[in-house]
Amino acid sequence: PGAAGGGTVEPSGCDLLFILNFVPFSSGFCWGNSVERKIYIPLNKTAPCVRLLNATHQIGCQSSMNGDTGVIHVVEKAQDLKWVLTDGPHPPYMVLLEGELFTRELMLQLKGSSRISGLAVAISKPSPAQGFSPGLKCPNDGFGVYSNDYGPQYAHCNWTVWNPLGNGLAYEDFSFPIFLLEDANETQVIKQCYQDHNLPQNGSVPEYPLCAMQLFAHMHAVTNTVTCMRRSSLQTAFSLNPEEVCDALSDYNVWSTLKPINASSKINPVDEVIIVATRIDSHSFFWNVAPGAESAVASFVTHLAAAEALHKVPDVQMLPRNIMFTFFQGETFDYIGSSRMVYDMKMDKFPIRLDNIHSFLELSQVALRNSSVLWVHTDPVSRRNESIQPQVETLVEALINSSVGANVTLQEVGQSQPLPPSSFQRFLRAKSIPGVVLADHRTSFQNRYYQSMYDTAENILMKYPEGLSPEETLDYVTDTAKSLAEVATVVARALYQLAGGTGNTSAIQADPRMVSRMLYGFLIKTNNSWFQSIIKQDLKGLLGDELPQHYIAVTSLVNTTQLVQYVLANLTGTVVNFTKEECLNPEKTPNPEKEMYVYTWVQGSRDPNSTSRVPFCVQSTVHLTKAASPAFELKQWGSTEYSTWTESRWKDIRARIFLIASKELEIITLVVGIAILILSLLATYFINAKAHVLFSSPGDGGTVAY
């Protein structure tokens, strides 16, 4: 039988069962499924735009309760919009939009029209040459350090517009559903359906049946975080089966120290710690589509490589100062992870206090360097402090000295320029700390796809030769990996000096092959042999064949967090001779240092001579700590101090296409159906009333006596 989109649906086992038995009751369920499959073609490779809320606004998209339906119209150039906005005779329309036309100007035109019921966006390949960033021009505005009380001339990006290509599209509120089509084959099926049924021929109006699309993405939360959290709390308090309408964006930060510390107690007040930080999350217009190659992955991979290089130095355990490697989650949404860590430090809920921090080094976007230049950003306000200024100069000097002989040139940005958006700003809000932020941009971002679905491996120029197997691709050292390994080497050498190391730093070298492995795993395919070998056996579900995404979401321990945790443990930990029982229950062992470490039983690599794996126990200093905004712990849902971002709940998100008949045919079908129903009822009544006549046998005339 024919199906929408020009495809065919082969008879299933259910169809054959019905045909052979001809008994509706024995195959009713199969018949129902069969009919639905003949009517609808589901779109399985899609990503929705969902609703997010903060203290004052709601952003994103949603459909009506039962989904939104419209006649498909393909828009390949701006002129095609005229049909859906004014000329087309069959509104509402479901627009299939080419990726390069997905701009703020066009979207605002559609937003203001009642003739639009929804939108499907075909991803653009290659990425739009002009760039595309649905984020804000001033990311995390109002939640950094600069305000009317601290560097007012730098507040609200008055001095530097960091993301000039940001069109703010992801922060608009749309009343219709918008889906991303991730599969080119499904996009082609929709276009074929459009061409077969909807395409106007020679200026004539297309006739029914027409190809239509239905999008389901109804959101439960409305207005803002204050409203949705209040409703959720009332449900929890008074309902036996509460239905919460939104959840706070939250997850966990990952952190470890060069020298082990007892994470359940406080370190000595005189001990000094250097914090190295980076973010591990990203965002885009569509839910859980956040590749974040330049905005997050390149920097945290560089961070991991620097941590590994430092741990290999023989005398690191003798350094006067400790180093803390910190990976913040949720930084895209008003610094969720860093603000929580600062809050915990201030409230004595973290083993390290703010007063223990010697200095702060943050890796921002570092993959798109011009002429190998890496820019050193500092805070001009805190540098006016006579005690901070010399410490910042020492930091900058250590970094510049460490770059001598490397293929990285470090240059300091002028002292009149403020810090770019960075986690360091949240620490400066709490205390004046000497610190620097390393970035590949002097002023505005080099990244033309910031917070975009196009911030992929291609954006940071990762290229592989054709014909490589997955294993060969995993270990192939790209130019990007070599470049980031150089940055990691400079960072590791500078940290060694800042921690008080006096040895020769030339031996401190990041491993380009390991950087390649991490880039491949975090950007292309998590389900690779190396990642398989370093995680727990019961976490195999972390690894999928889909492109990795780095959105914080609302579930505990998203994939990125767990993978960063295990990669860091693998790169900086040591293998110990523990049995599985001892590794899983280290408190039962006589080891006096068990409180200083975390022990993880990982599944290991495959034995070359068999299909089984060789598991082992890893001892590391890797810990997790909450990355949940303090606003929710304090129940200050309208806070302007802390992030208040929440994500709406939903029940059903799906998309499908099908053929629809004209309204006239639908009415005729309904009328005929009602007429048949009435006739059936009358016939049933008549047959029931005359049953004694219609169904009596000839021998029923009287009683037979023997």
Side-chain angles (χ1 to χ4, degrees), residues 111-122:
K111 183 178 179 179
S113 173
S114 60
R115 292 168 55 90
I116 305 298
S117 61
L119 192 71
V121 180

Side-chain angles (χ1 to χ4, degrees), residues 318-332:
M318 307 302 294
L319 294 176
R321 300 185 185 97
N322 207 343
I323 299 174
M324 176 176 161
F325 306 100
T326 313
F327 300 82
F328 291 121
Q329 182 63 275
E331 296 301 273
T332 303

Side-chain angles (χ1 to χ4, degrees), residues 216-232:
F216 297 84
H218 180 66
M219 301 289 124
H220 294 177
V222 295
T223 310
N224 53 43
T225 290
V226 177
T227 301
C228 82
M229 290 301 292
R230 184 177 65 244
R231 290 177 179 175
S232 293

Side-chain angles (χ1 to χ4, degrees), residues 136-144 146 154-158 334-335 421:
L136 299 171
K137 293 184 183 296
C138 190
N140 292 355
D141 186 23
F143 290 86
Y146 302 113
Y154 307 124
H156 313 301
C157 295
N158 287 334
D334 299 338
Y335 306 117

Side-chain angles (χ1 to χ4, degrees), residues 65-197:
M65 183 78 74
N66 298 313
D68 289 322
T69 303
V71 174
I72 295 172
H73 190 77
V74 177
V75 174
E76 296 179 325
K77 52 187 182 297
Q79 292 85 341
D80 295 337
L81 275 181
K82 191 171 181 237
W83 181 267
V84 297
L85 294 177
T86 58
D87 295 352
H90 305 120
Y93 284 96
M94 194 68 71
V95 176
L96 173 55
L97 190 67
E98 293 297 333
E100 58 268 19
L101 296 177
F102 188 50
T103 62
R104 180 181 178 85
E105 294 73 26
L106 187 143
M107 288 302 297
L108 292 182
Q109 287 186 60
L110 299 180
K111 183 178 179 179
S113 173
S114 60
R115 292 168 55 90
I116 305 298
S117 61
L119 192 71
V121 180
I123 196 163
S124 179
K125 291 185 179 180
S127 303
Q130 71 275 17
F132 176 74
S133 174
L136 299 171
K137 293 184 183 296
C138 190
N140 292 355
D141 186 23
F143 290 86
V145 69
Y146 302 113
S147 65
N148 292 335
D149 300 322
Y150 189 100
Q153 68 272 36
Y154 307 124
H156 313 301
C157 295
N158 287 334
W159 194 273
T160 304
V161 177
W162 296 107
N163 185 31
L165 291 178
N167 58 30
L169 194 58
Y171 293 83
E172 290 287 334
D173 183 37
F174 295 92
S175 59
F176 51 78
I178 304 175
F179 278 53
L180 176 68
L181 302 173
E182 299 180 283
D183 188 338
N185 292 329
E186 287 189 344
T187 303
Q188 189 54 44
V189 167
I190 300 171
K191 288 183 176 181
Q192 187 63 52
C193 186
Y194 165 78
Q195 290 168 4
D196 291 345
H197 300 281

